[in-house]
Amino acid sequence: MRSKYLNLDYFRTQCTQIYGTAFKGPNTYQTNLMLGSVDLWGTNIYFTNGVEDGWKWAGIQTLPQSSTMKAEVIDCENCAHCVELYDEKPSD
């Protein structure tokens, strides 16, 4: 569905080419601190991302084993945004 070359490095390079070498990109850590997302907590929360999901870089992809939450990048054919959560089909 998407080229394996459309990754975070590709988009950073594209932004640098458009905005110049002064472009530093977003300060993800600072944004997370401001919005509180570095201290996520809960129980039985499942974060899912498809391997071809263009939004996976904005999502939680890994968590410590001891966490009651789970994060996983699903690797399946045509695994894009939330496709692994669709209803079961006879072709599955």
Side-chain angles (χ1 to χ4, degrees):
M1 183 174 172
R2 287 185 179 89
S3 169
K4 66 180 179 180
Y5 299 108
L6 291 179
N7 56 27
L8 192 55
D9 289 332
Y10 168 84
F11 290 108
R12 283 187 178 142
T13 300
Q14 185 179 37
C15 288
T16 300
Q17 290 173 345
I18 293 169
Y19 300 109
T21 55
F23 177 76
K24 299 285 188 226
N27 185 335
T28 306
Y29 180 75
Q30 187 62 38
T31 301
N32 286 339
L33 282 177
M34 183 177 69
L35 299 176
S37 66
V38 292
D39 292 321
L40 282 175
W41 62 272
T43 58
N44 300 318
I45 299 173
Y46 185 70
F47 299 95
T48 181
N49 295 281
V51 72
E52 297 177 18
D53 187 348
W55 290 99
K56 74 179 175 186
W57 307 110
I60 295 174
Q61 298 182 51
T62 59
L63 287 165
Q65 280 289 74
S66 61
S67 177
T68 60
M69 300 181 290
K70 184 169 174 68
E72 195 168 338
V73 176
I74 308 298
D75 189 359
C76 58
E77 187 175 334
N78 295 320
C79 261
H81 192 67
C82 296
V83 76
E84 68 279 5
L85 298 177
Y86 291 171
D87 290 338
E88 185 177 356
K89 299 178 291 194
S91 60
D92 288 341

